[in-house]
Amino acid sequence: MDMHEDDELIEKSRDLFRQQEQDLNDKVLERLADIRRTAVEKAIRRQQKSPWQLFPEVLGHWFLETSTVMRKPYLISAVASLVVIIAITFHMQTQVSMPVDDLTILSAEDDLEMIEDLDFYHWLVEADING
Amino acid sequence: MQQDINTFLQSVERRAYSMAYMATHNRDDALDIVQDSMFKLVEKYAKRPEVEWGPLFTRILQSKIRDWYRRNKVKRHIFSWFGNSGSESTEENAKDLVEQYPAPNQYNPNSAVESEQALENLHQAITELPLRQKQVFMLRSIEQLNVSETAKAIGISEGSVKTHYSRAVRCLQQKMQDHR
C-alpha cells in the first residue's frame, strides 16, 4: 500500500461523508433542528438561573450520571464485591463485640446491686442459722 | 451567547449525526447520541470560551458513541442468552440505510455509477471496522484531527491512535481492493 493509495482512500472517505451530510433526509434534519433548539433553550434557562436554583438540577443530573455509570457491568461487580466485604466485616465485628456486650451487662450498676442484694440475703440466712 | 451556541451546534450537527450513524447504523440511536452530546455541551461547557467548544463536543460525542457501543454489547449478550440477536429492528435498519441515501434525482448527474458503487462499498467497509478503528479513522481522516487531538478526543494514547489508524487504513484498502 503506498501513500498515493492512502491519500485516495482518505479523499474518497471525505467525499462519502460530504455526500452523506448533504443528502440527509428531511426527517433527520427536522429532528436535528429540534434537538438544537432544545439545547439552546436549555443553555438560556441555565444562564438565567442563579447557582442555588441550579442545585436540584445538578443533583438530579448527578443521580442520572451515577445510574449510567452503574449500568457498566464491571462497576456493578465491583460494588457487589464491596457490599459483600462490608457485610462480612460487619458480621465479624458483631461476633467479636459479643463478649464486650456481656461485660457491659456485668458491669452495669443494676447488676452490681443485685449481687450486693444476694450477698445480703446470704448474710441474712447465715445470721438466722447462727441466731 | 444564545446565537453563538446555536451557530456552533448548527455547524456540527450534520457531521455529528453522520459519525454517530456510521458507528450505530441506526437512525434513532444516532439522533439520541447527538442529542445527549449537545445537551451535555450546553449544560457543562456553554460558559467556556467558544474556541474550546469544538474539541469538547468531539470528545463528548466520541464518549457517547463508546457508551452506546458498550450498552449495546451488553444488550446483545443478554439477548443472545435467550436466542435473540438483540437487534429487533434489522428491517428498520435496512429501511434506514435506504432513507440515508438520497433519491436518484438528488444525485449529481455527472457522477458515474462506478463512483457511487465505490462510495457505497467504502461506507460498508467503514461500518464494519471495529469501534476504535472506526473512531480513529473518522477523526483523523474526516475531521482532520492530528494524532494528539484524536488521542484526547477518544481518551487513548497517541501510540494507540497510530496503531488503530494504520490498521483501519490497511483494512479499508484491502476491502476496497476486494471489491475491484
Side-chain angles (χ1 to χ4, degrees), chain A residues 94-118:
Chain A
T94 315
Q95 281 186 334
V96 170
S97 66
M98 277 180 76
V100 178
D101 287 345
D102 290 344
L103 278 173
T104 314
I105 292 166
L106 285 172
S107 63
E109 274 184 28
D110 291 345
D111 299 312
L112 276 177
E113 275 173 19
M114 192 186 76
I115 292 163
E116 279 166 8
D117 287 347
L118 278 174

Side-chain angles (χ1 to χ4, degrees), chain B residues 38-52:
Chain B
M38 284 188 176
F39 286 4
K40 189 159 184 177
L41 183 85
V42 298
E43 276 169 9
K44 297 215 162 187
Y45 306 106
K47 286 181 182 168
R48 298 286 278 267
E50 233 179 288
V51 285
E52 290 182 18

Side-chain angles (χ1 to χ4, degrees), chain B residues 19-110:
Chain B
M19 286 211 166
Y21 185 82
M22 195 66 98
T24 62
H25 227 257
N26 180 296
R27 192 184 61 196
D28 290 332
D29 287 347
L31 284 166
D32 283 348
I33 287 172
V34 175
Q35 175 172 291
D36 290 350
S37 306
M38 284 188 176
F39 286 4
K40 189 159 184 177
L41 183 85
V42 298
E43 276 169 9
K44 297 215 162 187
Y45 306 106
K47 286 181 182 168
R48 298 286 278 267
E50 233 179 288
V51 285
E52 290 182 18
W53 289 348
L56 282 167
F57 184 74
T58 308
R59 189 175 178 132
I60 295 169
L61 181 74
Q62 296 305 320
S63 156
K64 296 288 175 195
I65 289 173
R66 201 169 56 241
D67 286 349
W68 175 89
Y69 188 80
R70 282 182 184 150
R71 275 204 304 276
N72 219 41
K73 207 173 169 186
V74 173
K75 206 165 80 181
R76 274 205 309 269
H77 276 300
I78 292 169
F79 276 101
S80 69
W81 296 338
F82 297 100
N84 187 326
S85 69
S87 63
E88 67 281 350
S89 56
T90 315
E91 209 171 294
E92 198 178 304
N93 284 348
K95 201 178 89 187
D96 273 347
L97 258 180
V98 173
E99 281 182 357
Q100 190 68 22
Y101 285 98
N105 60 3
Q106 286 176 285
Y107 278 104
N108 178 353
N110 297 327

